Coordinates of all heavy atoms in Angstrom, one line a residue:
M1 N 44.1 -0.9 19.6 CA 45.4 -1.6 19.4 C 45.3 -3.0 20.0 O 44.7 -3.1 21.2 CB 46.6 -0.9 19.9 CG 46.9 0.4 19.3 SD 47.9 0.3 17.9 CE 49.5 0.1 18.6
K2 N 45.9 -4.0 19.4 CA 46.0 -5.3 20.1 C 47.2 -6.0 19.5 O 47.5 -5.8 18.2 CB 44.8 -6.1 20.1 CG 44.4 -6.6 18.7 CD 43.1 -7.5 18.8 CE 42.8 -8.0 17.4 NZ 41.6 -9.0 17.5
P3 N 47.9 -6.9 20.2 CA 48.9 -7.8 19.6 C 48.4 -8.9 18.8 O 47.4 -9.5 19.3 CB 49.8 -8.2 20.9 CG 48.7 -8.3 21.9 CD 47.7 -7.1 21.7
I4 N 49.0 -9.2 17.7 CA 48.6 -10.4 16.9 C 49.8 -11.2 16.7 O 50.9 -10.8 16.4 CB 47.7 -10.2 15.6 CG1 48.7 -9.2 14.6 CG2 46.6 -9.4 15.9 CD1 48.2 -9.2 13.3
I5 N 49.6 -12.6 16.5 CA 50.7 -13.5 16.2 C 50.6 -13.7 14.7 O 49.5 -14.1 14.2 CB 50.6 -14.7 17.0 CG1 50.3 -14.6 18.5 CG2 51.7 -15.6 16.7 CD1 51.4 -14.8 19.4
I6 N 51.7 -13.6 14.1 CA 51.8 -13.9 12.6 C 52.3 -15.3 12.5 O 53.4 -15.6 12.8 CB 52.8 -13.0 11.9 CG1 52.1 -11.5 12.0 CG2 52.8 -13.3 10.4 CD1 53.1 -10.5 11.7
D7 N 51.4 -16.4 12.3 CA 51.7 -17.7 12.5 C 52.9 -18.2 11.7 O 53.7 -19.0 12.0 CB 50.6 -18.5 12.2 CG 49.5 -18.5 13.4 OD1 49.9 -18.3 14.6 OD2 48.3 -18.7 13.1
K8 N 52.9 -17.7 10.5 CA 54.1 -18.1 9.6 C 55.4 -17.7 10.0 O 56.4 -18.2 9.6 CB 53.8 -17.6 8.1 CG 52.8 -18.3 7.3 CD 52.8 -18.1 5.9 CE 52.1 -19.1 5.0 NZ 52.9 -20.3 4.7
K9 N 55.4 -16.7 10.8 CA 56.7 -16.2 11.3 C 57.1 -16.8 12.7 O 58.2 -16.7 13.2 CB 56.8 -14.7 11.5 CG 56.8 -13.9 10.2 CD 56.9 -12.4 10.5 CE 57.1 -11.6 9.2 NZ 57.2 -10.2 9.6
C10 N 56.1 -17.5 13.2 CA 56.3 -18.1 14.6 C 56.8 -19.4 14.6 O 56.1 -20.3 14.0 CB 55.0 -17.8 15.4 SG 55.0 -18.6 17.0
G11 N 57.8 -19.8 15.4 CA 58.3 -21.2 15.3 C 57.4 -22.0 16.3 O 57.5 -23.2 16.2
A12 N 56.5 -21.4 17.1 CA 55.6 -22.1 17.9 C 56.2 -23.2 18.8 O 55.8 -24.4 18.7 CB 54.4 -22.7 16.9
S13 N 57.1 -22.9 19.5 CA 57.7 -23.7 20.5 C 57.4 -23.3 21.9 O 57.7 -22.2 22.3 CB 59.3 -23.7 20.3 OG 59.9 -24.3 21.5
E14 N 56.5 -24.1 22.6 CA 56.1 -23.9 23.9 C 57.3 -23.7 24.8 O 57.3 -22.9 25.7 CB 55.2 -25.0 24.4 CG 54.6 -24.7 25.7 CD 53.7 -25.8 26.1 OE1 53.7 -26.8 25.8 OE2 52.8 -25.4 27.0
S15 N 58.3 -24.5 24.7 CA 59.4 -24.5 25.6 C 60.3 -23.3 25.3 O 61.0 -22.7 26.3 CB 60.3 -25.8 25.5 OG 60.8 -25.9 24.3
V16 N 60.4 -22.7 24.2 CA 61.3 -21.7 23.8 C 60.6 -20.3 23.9 O 61.2 -19.3 24.2 CB 62.0 -21.9 22.5 CG1 62.7 -20.6 22.0 CG2 62.8 -23.1 22.5
C17 N 59.3 -20.2 23.6 CA 58.6 -19.0 23.4 C 58.9 -17.9 24.4 O 58.5 -18.1 25.6 CB 57.1 -19.3 23.3 SG 56.2 -17.7 22.9
K18 N 59.7 -16.9 24.1 CA 59.9 -15.8 25.1 C 58.7 -15.0 25.3 O 58.7 -14.5 26.4 CB 61.1 -15.0 24.6 CG 62.3 -15.8 24.3 CD 63.6 -15.0 23.7 CE 64.8 -16.0 23.6 NZ 65.9 -15.2 23.1
A19 N 57.8 -14.9 24.5 CA 56.7 -14.0 24.6 C 55.8 -14.6 25.6 O 55.2 -13.9 26.5 CB 56.1 -13.8 23.3
L20 N 55.6 -15.9 25.6 CA 54.8 -16.7 26.5 C 55.3 -16.5 27.9 O 54.5 -16.3 28.9 CB 54.6 -18.2 26.0 CG 53.7 -19.2 26.8 CD1 53.5 -20.3 25.9 CD2 54.3 -19.6 28.1
K21 N 56.6 -16.6 28.1 CA 57.1 -16.4 29.4 C 57.0 -15.1 29.9 O 57.0 -14.9 31.1 CB 58.7 -17.0 29.4 CG 58.8 -18.4 29.1 CD 60.2 -18.8 29.1 CE 60.5 -20.4 28.9 NZ 60.4 -20.6 27.4
A22 N 57.2 -14.1 29.0 CA 57.4 -12.7 29.4 C 56.0 -12.0 29.7 O 55.9 -11.1 30.5 CB 57.9 -11.9 28.4
C23 N 54.9 -12.5 29.2 CA 53.6 -12.0 29.3 C 53.3 -11.9 30.9 O 53.0 -13.0 31.4 CB 52.5 -12.6 28.6 SG 50.8 -11.9 29.0
P24 N 53.0 -10.7 31.5 CA 52.9 -10.6 32.9 C 51.4 -11.0 33.4 O 51.1 -11.3 34.5 CB 53.0 -9.2 33.3 CG 52.8 -8.4 31.9 CD 53.2 -9.4 30.9
L25 N 50.4 -11.2 32.4 CA 49.1 -11.5 32.7 C 48.8 -13.0 32.4 O 47.6 -13.5 32.4 CB 48.2 -10.6 31.9 CG 47.9 -9.2 32.4 CD1 47.3 -9.3 33.8 CD2 49.1 -8.4 32.4
G26 N 49.8 -13.8 31.9 CA 49.5 -15.2 31.5 C 48.5 -15.2 30.3 O 47.7 -16.2 30.2
A27 N 48.7 -14.3 29.4 CA 47.5 -14.2 28.4 C 48.1 -15.0 27.1 O 47.2 -15.2 26.3 CB 47.4 -12.7 27.9
I28 N 49.3 -15.5 27.1 CA 49.8 -16.2 26.0 C 50.0 -17.7 26.3 O 50.4 -18.0 27.4 CB 51.1 -15.6 25.5 CG1 51.0 -14.1 25.2 CG2 51.7 -16.4 24.3 CD1 52.3 -13.4 24.7
S29 N 49.5 -18.5 25.4 CA 49.6 -20.0 25.6 C 49.9 -20.6 24.3 O 49.8 -20.2 23.2 CB 48.3 -20.5 26.3 OG 47.2 -20.2 25.5
Y30 N 50.1 -21.9 24.5 CA 50.5 -22.8 23.3 C 49.4 -23.8 23.1 O 48.9 -24.4 24.0 CB 51.8 -23.6 23.6 CG 52.3 -24.5 22.6 CD1 52.9 -24.1 21.5 CD2 51.9 -25.9 22.7 CE1 53.2 -25.1 20.5 CE2 52.3 -26.8 21.8 CZ 52.9 -26.5 20.7 OH 53.3 -27.3 19.8
I31 N 49.0 -24.0 21.9 CA 48.0 -25.0 21.5 C 48.5 -25.8 20.3 O 49.4 -25.4 19.6 CB 46.6 -24.4 21.4 CG1 46.6 -23.6 20.1 CG2 46.1 -23.7 22.5 CD1 45.2 -23.1 19.5
E32 N 47.9 -26.9 20.0 CA 48.2 -27.6 18.7 C 46.9 -27.8 18.2 O 45.8 -28.1 18.9 CB 48.9 -28.9 19.0 CG 50.3 -28.7 19.5 CD 51.1 -30.1 19.5 OE1 50.6 -31.0 19.3 OE2 52.3 -29.9 19.8
I33 N 46.9 -27.7 16.8 CA 45.6 -27.9 16.0 C 45.8 -28.9 14.9 O 47.0 -29.1 14.6 CB 44.9 -26.6 15.5 CG1 45.9 -26.0 14.6 CG2 44.7 -25.6 16.7 CD1 45.3 -24.6 13.9
D34 N 44.9 -29.3 14.3 CA 44.9 -30.4 13.2 C 45.6 -29.8 11.9 O 46.2 -30.6 11.2 CB 43.6 -31.0 12.9 CG 43.1 -31.8 14.0 OD1 43.9 -32.3 14.8 OD2 41.9 -32.2 14.0
E35 N 45.5 -28.6 11.8 CA 46.1 -28.0 10.5 C 47.5 -27.6 10.6 O 47.9 -26.6 11.3 CB 45.4 -26.7 10.1 CG 44.2 -27.0 9.1 CD 43.5 -25.6 8.8 OE1 44.2 -24.7 8.1 OE2 42.4 -25.4 9.2
P36 N 48.5 -28.4 10.0 CA 49.9 -27.9 10.0 C 50.2 -26.8 9.2 O 49.6 -26.5 8.2 CB 50.6 -29.2 9.6 CG 49.5 -29.8 8.6 CD 48.2 -29.5 9.2
I37 N 51.2 -26.1 9.6 CA 51.8 -25.0 8.7 C 53.1 -25.6 8.3 O 54.0 -25.8 9.1 CB 52.0 -23.6 9.6 CG1 50.7 -23.1 10.0 CG2 52.9 -22.7 8.7 CD1 50.9 -21.8 10.9
L38 N 53.2 -25.9 7.0 CA 54.3 -26.6 6.5 C 55.5 -25.6 5.8 O 56.5 -26.0 5.5 CB 53.8 -27.6 5.3 CG 52.9 -28.5 5.9 CD1 52.3 -29.4 4.7 CD2 53.7 -29.4 6.9
S39 N 55.2 -24.4 5.7 CA 56.2 -23.5 5.2 C 56.2 -22.2 6.0 O 55.6 -21.1 5.4 CB 56.0 -23.3 3.7 OG 54.7 -22.7 3.6
R40 N 56.7 -22.1 7.1 CA 56.9 -21.0 7.9 C 57.9 -20.0 7.4 O 59.1 -20.6 6.9 CB 57.1 -21.3 9.4 CG 55.9 -22.1 10.1 CD 56.2 -22.2 11.5 NE 55.4 -23.3 12.1 CZ 54.3 -23.0 12.9 NH1 54.0 -21.9 13.2 NH2 53.7 -24.0 13.3
E41 N 57.8 -18.8 7.5 CA 58.8 -17.8 6.9 C 59.9 -17.6 8.2 O 59.9 -16.4 8.6 CB 58.2 -16.6 6.5 CG 57.3 -16.9 5.2 CD 56.2 -15.8 5.0 OE1 56.3 -14.8 5.6 OE2 55.5 -15.9 4.1
V42 N 60.5 -18.5 8.6 CA 61.5 -18.4 9.7 C 62.8 -18.9 9.3 O 63.0 -19.6 8.3 CB 61.0 -19.0 10.9 CG1 59.7 -18.2 11.4 CG2 60.7 -20.5 10.8
N43 N 63.8 -18.7 10.1 CA 65.2 -18.9 9.6 C 65.9 -20.0 10.2 O 67.0 -20.4 9.7 CB 66.0 -17.7 10.0 CG 65.5 -16.4 9.2 OD1 65.1 -16.5 8.2 ND2 65.3 -15.4 10.0
C44 N 65.4 -20.8 11.1 CA 66.1 -21.8 11.9 C 66.5 -23.0 10.8 O 65.6 -23.5 10.1 CB 65.3 -22.4 12.9 SG 66.1 -23.7 13.8
T45 N 67.8 -23.4 11.0 CA 68.2 -24.5 10.1 C 68.7 -25.7 11.0 O 69.2 -26.7 10.4 CB 69.3 -24.2 9.1 OG1 70.3 -23.6 9.9 CG2 68.8 -23.1 8.2
S46 N 68.5 -25.6 12.3 CA 69.1 -26.6 13.2 C 68.0 -27.5 13.6 O 68.4 -28.6 14.1 CB 69.9 -25.9 14.4 OG 69.0 -25.1 15.1
S47 N 66.8 -27.1 13.8 CA 65.8 -27.9 14.5 C 65.3 -29.0 13.6 O 65.2 -28.9 12.4 CB 64.6 -27.1 14.9 OG 63.5 -28.0 15.2
P48 N 65.1 -30.2 14.2 CA 64.5 -31.3 13.4 C 63.2 -30.9 12.8 O 62.8 -31.5 11.7 CB 64.3 -32.4 14.5 CG 65.2 -32.1 15.5 CD 65.4 -30.6 15.6
T49 N 62.6 -29.8 13.3 CA 61.4 -29.3 12.7 C 61.6 -28.2 11.7 O 60.7 -27.4 11.6 CB 60.2 -28.9 13.8 OG1 60.9 -28.0 14.6 CG2 59.8 -30.1 14.5
A50 N 62.8 -28.1 11.2 CA 63.2 -26.9 10.4 C 62.4 -26.6 9.2 O 62.2 -25.6 8.8 CB 64.8 -27.0 10.0
D51 N 61.8 -27.7 8.6 CA 60.9 -27.6 7.6 C 59.7 -26.6 7.9 O 59.2 -25.9 7.1 CB 60.4 -28.9 7.0 CG 61.6 -29.5 6.2 OD1 62.5 -28.9 5.8 OD2 61.4 -30.7 5.9
S52 N 59.2 -26.8 9.1 CA 58.3 -26.0 9.6 C 58.8 -24.7 10.2 O 58.2 -23.6 10.2 CB 57.3 -26.7 10.4 OG 58.0 -27.2 11.5
G53 N 60.0 -24.9 10.8 CA 60.7 -23.8 11.2 C 60.6 -23.4 12.6 O 59.7 -23.7 13.3
C54 N 61.5 -22.5 13.0 CA 61.5 -21.9 14.3 C 62.1 -20.6 14.2 O 63.2 -20.5 13.5 CB 62.3 -22.7 15.4 SG 62.5 -21.8 16.9
G55 N 61.4 -19.5 14.7 CA 62.0 -18.1 14.5 C 62.7 -17.6 15.7 O 63.3 -16.5 15.7
C56 N 62.9 -18.4 16.7 CA 63.6 -18.1 17.8 C 65.1 -18.1 17.7 O 65.7 -19.1 17.3 CB 63.1 -18.9 19.0 SG 61.4 -18.7 19.4
N57 N 65.8 -17.1 18.2 CA 67.2 -17.0 18.2 C 67.7 -17.7 19.5 O 68.4 -16.9 20.2 CB 67.7 -15.6 18.1 CG 67.2 -14.9 16.8 OD1 67.3 -15.5 15.7 ND2 66.7 -13.7 17.0
C58 N 67.5 -18.8 19.6 CA 67.8 -19.5 20.9 C 69.3 -20.1 20.8 O 70.0 -19.8 19.7 CB 66.9 -20.7 21.2 SG 67.0 -21.9 20.0
D59 N 69.7 -20.9 21.7 CA 71.2 -21.4 21.6 C 71.3 -22.8 21.0 O 72.2 -23.5 21.3 CB 71.7 -21.4 23.1 CG 71.7 -20.0 23.6 OD1 71.9 -19.1 22.8 OD2 71.6 -19.9 24.8
C60 N 70.3 -23.3 20.4 CA 70.4 -24.6 19.9 C 70.8 -24.9 18.4 O 70.7 -25.7 17.8 CB 68.9 -25.4 19.9 SG 67.7 -24.8 18.6
G61 N 71.7 -23.8 18.0 CA 72.2 -23.7 16.9 C 73.2 -24.7 16.3 O 73.5 -24.9 15.2
D62 N 73.6 -25.6 17.3 CA 74.5 -26.8 16.9 C 73.7 -28.0 16.3 O 74.3 -28.9 15.9 CB 75.3 -27.2 18.1 CG 74.5 -27.8 19.3 OD1 73.2 -27.7 19.1 OD2 75.1 -28.1 20.2
G63 N 72.4 -27.8 16.3 CA 71.7 -28.8 15.7 C 71.4 -30.2 16.5 O 70.9 -31.1 16.2
S64 N 71.8 -30.0 17.8 CA 71.8 -31.2 18.7 C 70.6 -31.3 19.4 O 70.3 -32.3 20.1 CB 73.1 -31.3 19.6 OG 73.0 -30.2 20.4
S65 N 69.8 -30.2 19.4 CA 68.6 -30.2 20.3 C 67.4 -29.9 19.5 O 67.4 -29.2 18.6 CB 68.9 -29.2 21.5 OG 69.1 -27.9 21.0
D66 N 66.3 -30.4 20.1 CA 65.0 -30.0 19.4 C 64.1 -29.1 20.3 O 63.9 -29.5 21.5 CB 64.2 -31.4 19.3 CG 62.8 -31.2 18.7 OD1 62.4 -30.0 18.4 OD2 62.1 -32.3 18.4
C67 N 64.0 -28.0 19.9 CA 63.2 -27.0 20.6 C 61.8 -27.3 20.8 O 61.2 -26.7 21.7 CB 63.5 -25.6 20.1 SG 62.4 -25.4 18.5
G68 N 61.3 -28.2 20.2 CA 59.9 -28.6 20.4 C 58.8 -27.8 19.5 O 57.8 -28.0 19.6
G69 N 59.4 -27.1 18.6 CA 58.6 -26.4 17.5 C 57.8 -27.4 16.8 O 58.5 -28.5 16.3
S70 N 56.6 -27.1 16.5 CA 55.8 -28.2 15.8 C 54.9 -27.5 14.8 O 54.4 -26.4 14.9 CB 54.8 -28.8 16.8 OG 53.7 -29.5 16.0
P71 N 54.8 -28.1 13.5 CA 53.9 -27.5 12.5 C 52.5 -27.4 12.9 O 51.7 -26.7 12.4 CB 54.0 -28.5 11.3 CG 54.7 -29.7 11.9 CD 55.4 -29.4 13.1
Y72 N 52.2 -28.2 13.9 CA 50.8 -28.2 14.5 C 50.5 -27.1 15.6 O 49.5 -27.0 16.0 CB 50.3 -29.5 14.9 CG 50.3 -30.6 13.9 CD1 51.5 -31.5 13.7 CD2 49.3 -30.7 13.0 CE1 51.5 -32.3 12.7 CE2 49.3 -31.7 12.0 CZ 50.4 -32.4 11.9 OH 50.4 -33.4 10.8
G73 N 51.7 -26.6 16.0 CA 51.6 -25.6 17.2 C 51.3 -24.2 16.8 O 51.5 -23.8 15.7
R74 N 50.6 -23.6 17.7 CA 50.3 -22.2 17.6 C 50.5 -21.5 18.9 O 50.1 -22.1 20.0 CB 48.8 -22.0 17.2 CG 48.4 -22.6 15.9 CD 49.0 -22.0 14.6 NE 48.3 -22.5 13.5 CZ 48.6 -23.7 12.8 NH1 49.6 -24.4 13.4 NH2 47.8 -24.1 11.9
I75 N 51.1 -20.3 19.0 CA 51.1 -19.5 20.1 C 49.9 -18.5 20.0 O 49.6 -18.0 19.0 CB 52.3 -18.7 20.2 CG1 53.5 -19.5 20.1 CG2 52.2 -17.8 21.3 CD1 53.7 -20.4 21.3
I76 N 48.9 -18.5 21.0 CA 47.7 -17.8 20.9 C 47.7 -16.7 22.1 O 48.4 -16.8 23.1 CB 46.4 -18.6 20.9 CG1 46.5 -19.4 22.3 CG2 46.5 -19.5 19.7 CD1 45.1 -20.2 22.5
I77 N 46.9 -15.7 21.9 CA 46.7 -14.6 22.9 C 45.2 -14.6 23.4 O 44.4 -14.6 22.6 CB 47.1 -13.2 22.3 CG1 48.6 -13.3 21.9 CG2 46.7 -12.2 23.3 CD1 49.1 -12.1 21.3
D78 N 45.1 -14.7 24.7 CA 43.7 -14.6 25.2 C 43.4 -13.0 25.4 O 44.0 -12.3 26.3 CB 43.6 -15.2 26.6 CG 42.3 -15.1 27.2 OD1 41.4 -14.2 26.8 OD2 42.1 -16.0 28.2
Y79 N 42.6 -12.5 24.7 CA 42.3 -11.0 24.6 C 41.5 -10.5 25.9 O 41.5 -9.4 26.2 CB 41.8 -10.5 23.3 CG 42.8 -10.7 22.1 CD1 42.5 -11.6 21.2 CD2 43.9 -9.9 22.1 CE1 43.4 -11.8 20.1 CE2 44.7 -10.0 21.0 CZ 44.6 -10.9 20.1 OH 45.4 -11.1 19.0
D80 N 41.0 -11.5 26.6 CA 40.3 -11.2 27.8 C 41.2 -10.9 28.9 O 40.8 -10.2 29.8 CB 39.3 -12.4 28.2 CG 38.1 -12.4 27.2 OD1 37.8 -11.4 26.7 OD2 37.6 -13.6 27.2
K81 N 42.4 -11.4 28.8 CA 43.3 -11.3 29.8 C 44.4 -10.1 29.3 O 45.0 -9.4 30.3 CB 44.2 -12.4 30.1 CG 43.4 -13.6 30.7 CD 44.3 -14.9 30.9 CE 43.6 -16.0 31.5 NZ 44.4 -17.1 31.6
C82 N 44.6 -9.8 28.1 CA 45.7 -9.0 27.6 C 45.3 -7.5 28.0 O 44.1 -7.1 27.8 CB 45.8 -9.2 26.1 SG 46.9 -8.0 25.2
T83 N 46.4 -6.7 28.4 CA 46.2 -5.5 28.8 C 47.0 -4.5 27.7 O 47.1 -3.3 27.9 CB 46.7 -5.1 30.1 OG1 48.1 -5.4 30.2 CG2 45.9 -5.8 31.1
I84 N 47.4 -5.1 26.6 CA 48.0 -4.4 25.5 C 49.2 -3.7 26.0 O 49.5 -2.5 25.6 CB 46.9 -3.5 24.8 CG1 45.7 -4.2 24.6 CG2 47.6 -2.9 23.5 CD1 44.5 -3.3 23.9
C85 N 50.1 -4.3 26.9 CA 51.2 -3.6 27.4 C 52.4 -3.6 26.4 O 53.2 -2.8 26.5 CB 51.7 -4.3 28.6 SG 52.3 -6.0 28.4
G86 N 52.4 -4.5 25.4 CA 53.3 -4.5 24.3 C 54.6 -5.3 24.7 O 55.6 -5.4 23.9
I87 N 54.8 -5.9 25.8 CA 56.0 -6.6 26.3 C 56.2 -7.7 25.3 O 57.3 -8.1 24.9 CB 55.8 -7.1 27.8 CG1 55.8 -6.0 28.6 CG2 56.9 -8.1 28.0 CD1 55.6 -6.3 30.1
C88 N 55.2 -8.4 24.9 CA 55.3 -9.6 24.1 C 55.8 -9.3 22.7 O 56.6 -10.0 22.1 CB 54.0 -10.4 23.8 SG 52.7 -9.4 23.1
V89 N 55.6 -8.1 22.2 CA 56.1 -7.6 20.9 C 57.6 -7.4 21.0 O 58.3 -7.9 20.2 CB 55.4 -6.3 20.5 CG1 56.1 -5.8 19.1 CG2 53.9 -6.5 20.3
D90 N 58.1 -6.9 22.1 CA 59.4 -6.7 22.3 C 60.2 -8.0 22.6 O 61.3 -8.1 22.1 CB 59.7 -5.6 23.5 CG 59.2 -4.3 23.2 OD1 59.1 -4.0 22.1 OD2 58.8 -3.7 24.2
E91 N 59.6 -8.9 23.3 CA 60.3 -10.2 23.7 C 60.2 -11.2 22.5 O 61.1 -12.0 22.5 CB 59.5 -10.8 24.9 CG 59.8 -10.0 26.1 CD 61.2 -10.0 26.6 OE1 61.9 -11.1 26.4 OE2 61.7 -9.0 26.9
C92 N 59.3 -11.1 21.7 CA 59.3 -12.2 20.6 C 60.5 -12.2 19.8 O 60.8 -11.2 19.1 CB 58.0 -11.9 19.7 SG 58.0 -13.1 18.3
C93 N 61.2 -13.3 19.8 CA 62.6 -13.4 19.1 C 62.3 -13.6 17.7 O 63.4 -13.6 17.0 CB 63.4 -14.4 19.8 SG 62.7 -15.9 20.2
G94 N 61.1 -14.0 17.2 CA 60.9 -14.2 15.8 C 60.3 -13.1 15.1 O 59.9 -13.1 13.9
N95 N 60.1 -11.9 15.8 CA 59.4 -10.8 15.3 C 58.1 -11.2 14.6 O 57.6 -10.8 13.7 CB 60.2 -10.0 14.1 CG 61.4 -9.5 14.7 OD1 61.5 -8.8 15.6 ND2 62.6 -9.6 13.9
A96 N 57.5 -12.2 15.3 CA 56.1 -12.7 14.9 C 55.0 -12.0 15.6 O 53.8 -12.5 15.3 CB 56.2 -14.2 15.2
I97 N 55.1 -11.1 16.4 CA 53.9 -10.4 17.1 C 54.0 -8.9 16.7 O 55.0 -8.3 16.9 CB 54.1 -10.5 18.6 CG1 54.2 -12.1 19.0 CG2 52.8 -10.0 19.2 CD1 54.3 -12.3 20.6
E98 N 52.9 -8.4 16.2 CA 52.8 -7.1 15.8 C 51.6 -6.5 16.5 O 50.6 -7.1 16.7 CB 52.6 -7.0 14.3 CG 53.8 -7.4 13.5 CD 53.6 -7.3 12.1 OE1 52.5 -6.8 11.6 OE2 54.5 -7.6 11.4
M99 N 51.7 -5.2 16.8 CA 50.6 -4.5 17.4 C 49.8 -3.9 16.1 O 50.3 -3.3 15.3 CB 51.0 -3.1 18.1 CG 51.3 -3.5 19.6 SD 49.9 -4.0 20.6 CE 50.7 -4.3 22.1
V100 N 48.5 -4.2 16.1 CA 47.6 -3.7 15.0 C 46.5 -2.9 15.6 O 46.1 -3.0 16.8 CB 47.0 -4.8 14.1 CG1 48.1 -5.7 13.5 CG2 46.2 -5.7 15.0
V101 N 46.0 -2.0 14.8 CA 44.8 -1.2 15.2 C 43.5 -1.9 15.1 O 43.3 -2.7 14.2 CB 44.7 0.0 14.3 CG1 43.6 0.9 14.7 CG2 46.0 0.9 14.4
Ligands
SF4_201 S1 58.3 -16.5 17.3 FE1 57.6 -15.3 19.1 S2 55.5 -15.8 19.5 FE2 56.5 -17.4 18.3 S3 57.4 -19.0 19.7 FE3 59.1 -17.5 19.2 S4 58.8 -16.0 21.0 FE4 56.9 -17.0 20.9
SF4_202 S1 50.4 -7.1 25.1 FE1 51.1 -7.7 27.1 S2 49.3 -8.5 28.3 FE2 49.0 -8.7 26.1 S3 49.7 -10.7 25.4 FE3 51.4 -9.2 25.1 S4 52.6 -9.3 27.0 FE4 50.6 -10.3 27.4

């Protein structure tokens, strides 16, 4: 078993990512790569990056703030550090992390 990030469901916001903050081993981090994801399957309609989307159920729903989600962003897991505790799966507010065999 190991946790995987489903990029299309992930808003990829470094400042909001609850899984990144919750991982006790510091195994989760944020990166940006050249390939944008332009159609994420997430629900946010308030962020300026809403076309790419954010799956986090944060408090920015009034549309006045930018959570920092980027189409170039990715949340990644360092499997050398991960102990497969499952906390990130529970904490991910976009249901973007799944345990797979
Ligand atoms: S969807 Fe999950 S993994 Fe993606 S930024 Fe939000 S909390 Fe982090
Ligand atoms: S399963 Fe646990 S150790 Fe691994 S990335 Fe998630 S929170 Fe971190």
